[in-house]
């Protein structure tokens, strides 16, 4: 299944950029330096970005990409808005909320079709209703602060009943194992493998509730940039997205090699954990929707559904349309 990963679609997109890439190479112009922000500290999910850099996929489209970590989708969107970065990845729900508050940012490609986010705990929380009355550790810029209220609203629960405990992502685990909070925000691809190792060492067991299992059917991670940038240099954004897609395909077909490259770039990472994380991330990329529409696709109806769910749950007063939060002209599928 993985080796048949939308090869035709990727090839078609790549061919469309060959002329531009060839022009850039023959002009001897140096690659353009741009900064890209991941949504969190580096882990397996971010492997394709390092693959694209190290294998020269970004340079093929004229880009020299500096990859930097962050502390959440909210941080990424604020940094883009403030001109501190050129591109980033952010949860679709956070993007909708940011745009509703006046941020001039937009998604332009779908990196992961569904979210990998959820809640980790030391005892089961099988339903949204079971979360009520329990403390949830999350940073102020954590995308779960947007997603969980949406899920509460979908289930007829008052989002105001969520007992948020503000914390830095670096201390989530210690808060949970120290029983300072009942629940922490976590991702099944990034956090759970490491949390399970810690739990085993302490004779405990990690429980995880994934948001897609609770009926959260909206887009996962967008590639994002300022709307002004997408309007002024659309080919640059298209090149970034195409090179990233090429790297995703490579990493899916060669997960072990991809994990080794990721660890070589980031020596503090553990190879086995990174490989597990990336293999888990693939499940959020290879979905029935992607098989039907192709990698990176964002249909108008699903974009509107994402907007409507977030707007209702967060009581957003601004009425947004798909074109307000996502530029469908960059990667036409």
């Amino acid at each position: 299944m993985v080796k048949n990963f939308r090869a035709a679609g990727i090839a078609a997109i790549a061919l469309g950029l060959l002329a531009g890439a060839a022009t850039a190479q023959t002009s001897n112009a140096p690659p353009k330096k741009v900064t890209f922000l991941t949504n969190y500290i580096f882990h397996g999910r971010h492997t394709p970005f390092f693959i694209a850099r190290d294998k020269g996929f970004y340079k093929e489209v004229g880009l020299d990409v500096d990859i930097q970590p962050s502390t959440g989708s909210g941080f990424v969107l604020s940094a883009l808005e403030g001109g501190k970065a050129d591109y980033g990845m952010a949860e679709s729900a956070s993007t909708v909320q940011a745009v509703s508050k006046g941020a001039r940012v937009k998604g332009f490609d779908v990196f992961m079709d569904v979210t990998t986010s959820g809640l980790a705990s030391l005892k089961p929380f099988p339903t949204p209703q079971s979360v009520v009355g329990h403390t949830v550790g999350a940073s102020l810029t954590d995308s779960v602060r947007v997603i969980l209220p949406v899920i509460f609203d979908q289930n007829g629960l008052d989002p105001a009943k969520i007992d948020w405990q503000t914390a830095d992502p670096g201390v989530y685990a210690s808060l949970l194992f120290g029983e300072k909070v009942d629940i922490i925000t976590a991702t099944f691809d990034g956090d759970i493998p490491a949390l399970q190792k810690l739990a085993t060492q302490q004779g405990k067991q990690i429980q995880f509730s994934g948001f897609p299992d609770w009926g959260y059917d909206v887009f996962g991670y967008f590639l994002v940039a300022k709307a002004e940038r997408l309007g002024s240099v659309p080919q640059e954004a298209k090149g970034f997205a195409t090179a990233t897609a090429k790297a995703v395909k490579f990493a899916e077909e060669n997960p072990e090699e991809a994990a080794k490259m990721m660890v070589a770039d980031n020596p503090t990472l553990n190879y086995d954990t990174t490989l597990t994380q990336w293999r888990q991330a693939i499940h959020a990329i290879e979905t029935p929707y992607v098989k039907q529409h192709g990698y990176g696709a964002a249909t108008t109806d699903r974009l509107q559904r994402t907007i409507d769910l977030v707007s209702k749950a967060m009581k957003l007063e601004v009425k947004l349309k798909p074109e307000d939060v996502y530029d469908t002209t960059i990667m036409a599928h």
Side-chain angles (χ1 to χ4, degrees), residues 38-290:
T38 64
N39 66 304
Y40 196 51
I41 57 174
F42 298 148
H43 60 73
R45 176 193 307 150
H46 307 126
T47 297
F49 304 109
F50 287 90
I51 295 293
R53 187 192 69 182
D54 293 350
K55 283 195 163 291
F57 298 161
Y58 287 137
K59 286 189 177 181
E60 288 173 2
V61 295
L63 296 176
D64 179 4
V65 181
D66 178 26
I67 308 169
Q68 296 290 333
S70 79
T71 57
S73 293
F75 181 96
V76 172
L77 295 164
S78 295
L80 291 173
E81 177 73 359
K84 303 300 183 182
D86 303 297
Y87 297 101
M89 61 179 288
E91 287 267 12
S92 64
S94 296
T95 305
V96 171
Q97 185 188 45
V99 172
S100 75
K101 293 182 177 180
R104 300 183 301 278
V105 294
K106 285 187 179 183
F108 62 93
D109 198 37
V110 181
F111 174 59
M112 301 183 85
D113 183 54
V114 297
T115 186
T116 62
S117 295
L119 302 177
S121 57
L122 296 176
K123 68 176 185 179
F125 287 92
T127 64
Q129 289 82 358
S130 66
V131 175
V132 176
H134 295 275
T135 54
V136 182
S139 72
L140 290 174
T141 57
D142 196 312
S143 59
V144 172
R145 284 187 179 258
V146 181
I147 297 174
L148 190 55
V150 173
I151 294 172
F152 263 49
D153 186 75
Q154 283 182 295
N155 286 271
L157 301 171
D158 183 359
K161 297 293 185 181
I162 304 172
D163 186 3
W164 296 111
Q165 298 294 307
T166 301
D168 183 89
V171 299
Y172 284 1
S174 61
L175 290 176
L176 180 63
F177 290 112
E179 299 184 1
K180 302 296 184 182
V181 297
D182 301 313
I183 304 166
I184 59 172
T185 66
T187 58
F188 71 71
D189 61 329
D191 301 311
I192 294 304
L195 286 172
Q196 286 174 334
K197 282 189 175 182
L198 287 173
T200 299
Q201 294 169 2
Q202 299 184 30
K204 299 177 181 179
Q205 186 174 357
I206 286 293
Q207 306 291 330
F208 181 73
S209 298
F211 292 149
D213 295 331
W214 283 354
Y216 183 72
D217 181 27
V218 302
F219 284 113
Y221 290 102
F222 287 159
L223 296 183
V224 289
K226 286 190 72 171
E228 179 183 357
R229 188 181 199 91
L230 298 177
S232 61
V233 286
Q235 283 302 114
E236 178 186 290
K238 185 173 184 178
F240 182 87
T242 301
T244 301
K246 184 176 179 180
V248 169
K249 180 178 183 291
F250 175 88
E252 286 196 334
E253 294 179 344
N254 307 276
E256 293 87 359
E257 181 180 351
K260 288 178 182 177
M261 292 178 67
M262 182 67 177
V263 172
D265 278 321
N266 304 278
T268 60
L269 298 181
N270 175 271
Y271 168 75
D272 291 328
T273 299
T274 300
L275 178 59
T276 299
Q277 290 171 334
W278 171 240
R279 282 177 165 159
Q280 288 291 92
I282 292 173
H283 295 301
I285 294 173
E286 289 295 336
T287 66
Y289 178 90
V290 169

